[in-house]
Amino acid sequence: MIAILRCTVAAVAVTAMATAVVPAVAATVNFKASLKASNEVPPNDSKGTGSLTASYDTASKVLSWKGSYTGLTGPATMAHFHGPAEPGKNAGVAVWISTRGTPLPASFAGKATLTDAQAGDMMAGRWYVNIHTAAHRGGEIRGQLTK
């Protein structure tokens, strides 16, 4: 009788462990982008450059970024993450970096919560950063977001 009880308790314990839900492990994924005029589609002759670093928290789905630029032809009128697009291709705005209607300061930071589709495209390397000016309305400097 005791042997049967021990076997039953052991079977219940094994079943409980086998069916337990294991929580997903959150991760932080880091990205960077080097922004230059030659990355624009089509390229332009601007001497401007910039950089951006970003981190994505897979649990909260929050993308945080910091960036800077210098040498543009004029004030940065706006900036965005664009996608989905491979290098050399253009795409629509995925997330605003600048505040709509406000020029982008030379050093900037921000964050946004992404949808699953946005996160998938970004993680697959199909997002780029674009900083726009009045002289280059389609974008003066651009850089593909990479891990």
Side-chain angles (χ1 to χ4, degrees), residues 1 28 34-35 37 50 52 65 68 73 80 82 87 93-94 106 117-118 130 137 139 143:
M1 181 71 169
T28 299
S34 177
L35 286 67
L52 180 134
W65 63 83
S68 64
T73 58
H80 318 97
H82 290 257
V93 173
Q118 289 173 323
N130 209 5
R137 294 188 188 281

Side-chain angles (χ1 to χ4, degrees), residues 38-91:
S38 60
N39 292 338
E40 285 292 343
V41 180
N44 64 63
D45 61 355
S46 172
K47 303 298 183 220
T49 60
S51 64
L52 180 134
T53 58
S55 62
Y56 178 65
D57 183 312
T58 60
S60 67
K61 301 181 182 181
V62 171
L63 176 67
S64 302
W65 63 83
K66 291 182 181 180
S68 64
Y69 65 86
T70 188
L72 299 181
T73 58
T77 56
M78 60 187 151
H80 318 97
F81 291 100
H82 290 257
E86 304 293 332
K89 304 289 183 184
N90 287 323

Side-chain angles (χ1 to χ4, degrees), residues 17-42:
M17 289 187 330
T19 59
V21 175
V22 179
V25 177
T28 299
V29 182
N30 295 313
F31 295 90
K32 63 184 176 181
S34 177
L35 286 67
K36 49 191 174 182
S38 60
N39 292 338
E40 285 292 343
V41 180

